[in-house]
Amino acid sequence: MGLLRIDKVICDSGIATRSEAKKLIASGRVYADGKKIASADTKVDAENSGICVDGQIINGKKHRYFIMNKPEGVLSATEDRMQKTVVDLLPPELSRLNLFPVGRLDKDTTGLIILTNDGDFCHEVTSPKHHIQKVYEFTVEGTLSEEDVEAFKQGIILRDGTKCMPAVLKIDNENKSHGFAAVFEGKYHQVKRMLASRGTPVIKLKRISIGGLKLNESLKYGEYQEMDENEIKILVNKNVSI
Ligand code: URA
């Protein structure tokens, strides 16, 4: 990443604003490579200088990636004047990182959503050219059959005539109103419209994976966790099977 001013690195980590970072430095609370930093314009290697504020190492990474289990009733947006967004669910130190959701889930859809401040990564995951698999667990009105599985395989034609790419439908053997759908594109209300076109409107929808990355079952609604490098790689390079 090269060398950056230490006050900027502290600010980018989310723990302080730029002016607060300057005050922390002036009051002798900031160390890099074990040495006290005397001046805000000191240049450091953000990722490798072991920058400590009040004895705590700060995260010097330029880009950050979080998985959230989106609750129902929250918008996949950065801000909204009237309604709560996924970014509103983050604590202040993370809301300073300018994170935004990667792609969209409907307000009533729950499950895996990624928040990042890496625009290139967002593009890679959401670009229609890359066909990254997304898996949804659903409950529908009515029941599904092998004909629906075949229709998904062939590519559903939505009620407005739009043709979808081939997708995978897996019906729960014990409950034919419940199952999983794997899609490789991201049209507006895609899964709901695909299932509605088969006469089985969606009652409940939850995204459980993106590429090779699965929603951690222990993450409660509204909770989040930081992704590691391996999770970022498997998201882009693998798929889960349903
Ligand atoms: N498909 C939908 O219909 N809704 C979502 O939120 C995501 C995929």
Side-chain angles (χ1 to χ4, degrees):
M1 209 203 290
L3 298 180
L4 294 169
R5 280 179 63 116
I6 193 158
D7 56 343
K8 175 168 169 42
V9 175
I10 294 170
C11 174
D12 288 349
S13 77
I15 66 154
T17 61
R18 193 83 177 244
S19 59
E20 286 165 352
K22 287 191 171 115
K23 284 187 195 143
L24 287 168
I25 295 160
S27 52
R29 291 159 65 185
V30 178
Y31 285 74
D33 290 326
K35 288 192 211 104
K36 193 187 279 187
I37 299 293
S39 161
D41 62 9
T42 305
K43 297 270 175 58
V44 289
D45 174 342
E47 286 189 31
N48 301 309
S49 291
I51 299 157
C52 283
V53 177
D54 290 337
Q56 301 275 359
I57 293 244
I58 63 156
N59 190 322
K61 288 195 178 124
K62 184 169 171 218
H63 291 131
R64 308 277 296 270
Y65 310 84
F66 296 86
I67 297 167
M68 181 182 278
N69 186 358
K70 178 190 167 300
E72 212 177 318
V74 173
L75 300 182
S76 317
T78 45
E79 56 185 358
D80 188 272
R81 280 196 303 142
M82 313 291 284
Q83 302 185 65
K84 201 170 240 190
T85 72
V86 284
V87 170
D88 293 332
L89 302 178
L90 298 170
E93 67 273 19
L94 296 186
S95 52
R96 290 207 198 99
L97 297 177
N98 297 323
L99 299 169
F100 50 84
V102 175
R104 292 269 179 275
L105 288 178
D106 298 334
K107 187 176 166 187
D108 59 356
T109 301
T110 61
L112 176 55
I113 190 140
I114 295 167
L115 295 153
T116 186
N117 48 10
D118 182 348
D120 292 341
F121 172 80
C122 180
H123 175 73
E124 182 155 11
V125 174
T126 55
S127 162
K129 284 192 207 132
H130 295 145
H131 304 309
I132 291 197
Q133 176 190 270
K134 285 146 223 131
V135 178
Y136 296 86
E137 179 178 8
F138 60 79
T139 306
V140 290
E141 267 176 39
T143 53
L144 291 155
S145 70
E146 280 312 306
E147 271 175 44
D148 301 309
V149 172
E150 189 53 32
F152 266 61
K153 207 169 168 184
Q154 295 306 319
I156 293 278
I157 299 177
L158 301 176
R159 287 184 169 151
D160 66 359
T162 307
K163 172 109 171 63
C164 296
M165 283 177 63
V168 182
L169 179 66
K170 187 168 175 211
I171 309 168
D172 180 345
N173 282 332
E174 315 279 299
N175 172 6
K176 307 251 180 256
S177 302
H178 174 251
F180 299 88
V183 299
F184 300 85
E185 53 189 342
K187 297 190 197 305
Y188 183 62
H189 293 329
Q190 178 153 3
V191 177
K192 289 178 183 164
R193 288 158 78 208
M194 286 167 90
L195 286 160
S197 79
R198 303 300 301 168
T200 49
V202 166
I203 301 170
K204 254 170 110 177
L205 194 63
K206 178 177 190 176
R207 182 156 65 192
I208 58 164
S209 69
I210 304 177
L213 181 73
K214 277 192 190 165
L215 180 65
N216 178 345
E217 304 260 320
S218 66
L219 213 56
K220 298 199 184 79
Y221 287 122
E223 286 185 349
Y224 60 88
Q225 68 188 31
E226 189 147 18
M227 288 168 71
D228 60 34
E229 308 251 316
N230 187 42
E231 287 172 317
I232 297 166
K233 264 191 221 135
I234 63 166
L235 186 153
V236 177
N237 299 321
K238 286 194 181 150
N239 282 334
V240 297
S241 50
I242 66 167

